[in-house]
Amino acid sequence: MPGYKNLDQCTAFKKLQEKKPVSLKNVLTPARIHEYQAHAGAGLTYNYAAKAVDNDILSFLADLAREQELIEKYRCVLNGEIMNTGENRKVLHHLCRGQLGQDIVCEDKNLRHFYTQQQKRIADFSQKVHKGEMKGSTGKAFDTVVQIGIGGSDLGPRALYLALENLYVPKMNVHFISNVDPDDANAVLARINLETSLFIVVSKSGTTQETITNYHFVIDKARTQNISSFNVHKHIIAVTGQTSPMAKNSDFAASFFIDDFIGGRYSSTSAVGGAVLSLAFGSEIFDQILQGAHEADKQALNEDIRQNAALLDALIGVYERNILHYQCTAVLPYSQALSRFPAHLQQLDMESNGKSVNRQGENVAYATGPVIFGEAGTNGQHSFYQLLHQGTDIIPLQFIGFKDAQISADVQYEGSSSQVKLNANLLAQILAFALGKDDSNPNKNFAGERPSSLIYAQKLDTKTLGALLAHFENKVMFQGFLWNINSFDQEGVQLGKVLTNKILNKQTDDLCNKFMTLLDL
């Protein structure tokens, strides 16, 4: 078994603290651009030439990876050991997309077989829907699917759907309802025909307040429409845990299962993403996402950090957070298809590593997870890049780019296509952030020395998308191990839920009552 110790107890970390920082203006060369990159699986490449590291720092980071036994801990995850110490659970999202460790058996059930069985059930179900063999309660074929879920039941699946809707013509109209704000549900329900709509209610516990409320919102909407012979439950399928209250509801048209070993923000490659994506595009497309994720998972086992993109990304990120003391990271995809990917990564990273105690429940004396934000380029350039370039804080940047667009149609204007212009903007930003620009006018002076990485591929396709998803999941996991924190629970989400229920049940104190009067609750 690997050992667990805090980051500031590591010899390699102390050596990194003594190392003089690197100036990007002095080291960024054409040769470095070629050398400082690593394959990330499924055609993805991680380039870190514009990160403020050199070979000495990389050597110390490799020592840190070995000292914290990161690959050994990853193998523990893959072999089904209890890695979510806060909830005493295994961590098995990798197992949904392929087996890289030993057989994992729980309650006499091989969990890899269980996950593939659920994928097969989803594939069969979606095929019946697409063929018109499964119809709504009034005899009309389904042409619309609506996912009802929040957090990991919405952000990841929604981001993946949007990433592919240009690449493949959806087999069904797809919508998402997440917010308990009634305007969210009303806006979606106003655009669809209930008789031809299939709803996916996603809640592992079967008790998620927002999701169950929206589930009843749909039921109530159906009742008010008074459609002859309409049975709303024949239009609803569930994705839930096998022991949840939803699992005991026999009225659903179908139920697909996940277990407690897959956290919500890591669940896009489980039935949580599988049901909606298979209905949207076909199960074969979802399978390709799983294949890409599996390739990235396998790549993350490489013990050489220079050949392990997720591990390298994690180590450099910790160097920036704990040695250079940068507080934020911006995720900047130069692909409109990834417009919601930063929102997914906000939850993935900040819910996982927004912790101030270690795996033993002791306070840590160093910074952990950074603030994550982002926007698709070039929109972001006309929004917050001013602060990134000339603000008082240095914010590390993670660019994502692709040589080719998903759709071949383009326009030539002023000697170049839209896609060429997009990538010219991307490369110009990397260089501008790193090198800056000297000007006698202080208002036009750019200090530079603002580090960035680039994850790139030929084109954003299904396998590349799966690998991109897994890359960041594995990066977050490795960083949690480096900080000696538990990246797989989310107690910070629970307090607000408890107080909300107290407010709804009128079990509040004077301070809370005073605030309640502001919104006439």
Side-chain angles (χ1 to χ4, degrees):
M1 282 287 293
Y4 293 89
K5 62 182 178 181
N6 287 354
L7 177 67
D8 55 6
Q9 296 173 343
C10 296
T11 301
F13 179 70
K14 295 173 183 176
K15 290 181 179 179
L16 283 166
Q17 290 176 308
E18 298 169 357
K19 181 74 172 63
K20 183 179 178 180
V22 170
S23 168
L24 288 171
K25 294 181 180 180
N26 294 333
V27 300
L28 193 54
T29 64
R32 178 182 167 100
I33 292 170
H34 177 75
E35 179 186 356
Y36 273 43
Q37 57 183 10
H39 295 299
L44 272 181
T45 300
Y46 171 71
N47 188 291
Y48 54 101
K51 285 292 191 182
V53 297
D54 59 15
N55 288 338
D56 287 342
I57 291 174
L58 291 170
S59 178
F60 289 138
L61 290 175
D63 291 341
L64 181 61
R66 286 188 289 270
E67 193 171 352
Q68 285 290 59
E69 301 178 278
L70 298 185
I71 298 299
E72 290 83 352
K73 290 170 184 174
Y74 179 29
R75 290 190 184 280
C76 288
V77 170
L78 298 176
N79 287 327
E81 296 185 22
I82 301 297
M83 302 302 285
N84 178 353
T85 51
E87 296 173 312
N88 196 36
R89 292 173 179 168
K90 306 174 190 297
V91 174
L92 298 184
H93 53 277
H94 300 89
L95 195 59
C96 288
R97 54 235 196 182
Q99 188 161 341
L100 289 170
Q102 64 190 26
D103 285 346
I104 299 172
V105 178
C106 183
E107 297 178 350
D108 298 323
K109 179 170 59 181
N110 184 308
L111 291 180
R112 174 58 186 161
H113 295 166
F114 171 72
Y115 296 152
T116 54
Q117 178 192 51
Q118 296 306 309
Q119 291 161 8
K120 177 66 164 58
R121 292 183 61 236
I122 290 170
D124 291 344
F125 178 85
S126 61
Q127 189 174 52
K128 289 179 181 178
V129 171
H130 296 153
K131 289 182 175 180
E133 296 174 4
M134 179 165 288
K135 294 181 171 63
S137 57
T138 62
K140 297 181 179 179
F142 291 117
D143 61 13
T144 299
V145 59
V146 181
Q147 176 120 323
I148 301 175
I150 198 165
S153 299
D154 171 77
L155 290 167
R158 191 193 294 243
L160 296 182
Y161 169 75
L162 292 174
L164 295 178
E165 68 173 346
N166 286 333
L167 201 58
Y168 304 100
V169 176
K171 296 176 181 290
M172 305 178 73
N173 301 313
V174 181
H175 300 278
F176 294 85
I177 299 173
S178 60
N179 201 332
V180 76
D181 182 344
D183 288 346
D184 190 12
N186 274 317
V188 171
L189 293 174
R191 296 196 295 267
I192 65 175
N193 179 357
L194 286 179
E195 291 186 78
T196 60
S197 296
L198 183 64
F199 296 86
I200 310 173
V201 181
V202 185
S203 171
K204 184 169 65 176
S205 68
T207 61
T208 308
Q209 182 196 79
E210 297 93 335
T211 300
I212 302 306
T213 299
N214 281 325
Y215 160 57
H216 285 283
F217 201 111
V218 170
I219 292 174
D220 186 69
K221 183 73 170 181
R223 287 172 178 161
T224 62
Q225 291 201 7
N226 194 27
I227 304 169
S228 177
S229 73
F230 183 81
N231 181 348
V232 66
H233 281 98
K234 299 304 178 184
H235 292 248
I236 299 176
I237 65 175
V239 175
T240 189
Q242 285 185 292
T243 60
S244 84
M246 279 172 51
K248 300 170 186 177
N249 187 339
S250 59
D251 290 334
F252 291 131
S255 294
F256 305 106
F257 300 110
I258 52 177
D259 58 41
D260 288 337
F261 303 138
I262 299 175
R265 57 195 175 276
Y266 297 98
S267 67
S268 294
T269 49
S270 74
V272 170
V276 66
L277 294 173
S278 295
L279 285 163
F281 301 112
S283 60
E284 66 280 2
I285 300 302
F286 182 63
D287 287 343
Q288 290 171 26
I289 294 174
L290 299 183
Q291 291 170 29
H294 183 67
E295 284 190 35
D297 291 341
K298 188 174 181 180
Q299 189 75 18
L301 280 167
N302 198 314
E303 295 185 8
D304 180 356
I305 71 164
R306 303 290 288 264
Q307 303 298 321
N308 187 331
L311 180 54
L312 193 56
D313 197 357
L315 288 161
I316 293 174
V318 167
Y319 176 75
E320 291 173 333
R321 187 76 175 103
N322 298 103
I323 302 297
L324 302 180
H325 304 296
Y326 301 148
Q327 298 179 354
C328 303
T329 296
V331 179
L332 309 170
Y334 275 59
S335 167
Q336 188 61 29
L338 293 176
S339 61
R340 289 297 289 171
F341 199 65
H344 167 61
L345 295 186
Q346 284 178 339
Q347 186 202 14
L348 173 65
D349 202 312
M350 295 168 72
E351 194 168 270
S352 295
N353 289 340
K355 311 289 172 63
S356 57
V357 298
N358 65 15
R359 294 171 66 86
Q360 293 75 41
E362 304 161 338
N363 289 328
V364 296
Y366 45 81
T368 57
V371 173
I372 304 294
F373 69 96
E375 176 66 53
T378 59
N379 289 353
Q381 292 177 204
H382 295 266
S383 175
F384 51 80
Y385 277 39
Q386 168 62 42
L387 184 146
L388 299 183
H389 277 293
Q390 292 183 306
T392 54
D393 292 309
I394 292 179
I395 297 175
L397 316 165
Q398 290 209 288
F399 289 97
I400 305 171
F402 305 94
K403 180 179 179 181
D404 298 330
Q406 289 184 315
I407 302 173
S408 58
D410 204 341
V411 62
Q412 291 285 330
Y413 175 68
E414 293 183 339
S416 59
S417 68
S418 297
Q419 183 66 19
V420 169
K421 288 181 174 68
L422 176 70
N423 286 335
N425 273 275
L426 165 58
L427 298 178
Q429 292 297 329
I430 293 174
L431 292 172
F433 281 119
L435 303 179
K437 180 177 75 72
D438 293 330
D439 197 294
S440 58
N441 180 347
N443 196 50
K444 295 186 177 185
N445 189 72
F446 292 80
E449 303 291 1
R450 310 217 166 195
S452 64
S453 62
L454 171 63
I455 301 176
Y456 68 95
Q458 184 76 23
K459 181 178 179 179
L460 179 60
D461 59 21
T462 47
K463 287 186 178 181
T464 301
L465 179 63
L468 189 66
L469 177 77
H471 170 91
F472 282 101
E473 288 180 352
N474 292 327
K475 172 195 173 182
V476 166
M477 172 193 69
F478 284 133
Q479 289 187 328
F481 291 146
L482 283 161
W483 286 315
N484 192 30
I485 58 177
N486 178 15
S487 300
F488 307 111
D489 66 1
Q490 56 283 331
E491 291 301 324
V493 179
Q494 306 305 321
L495 177 59
K497 292 181 179 180
V498 172
L499 291 177
T500 297
N501 287 329
K502 286 184 177 181
I503 290 172
L504 293 174
N505 294 322
K506 311 299 182 184
Q507 299 172 343
T508 53
D509 57 22
D510 290 341
L511 180 63
C512 191
N513 291 338
K514 188 66 175 178
F515 272 109
M516 288 166 63
T517 61
L518 299 178
L519 292 175
D520 195 25
L521 293 176

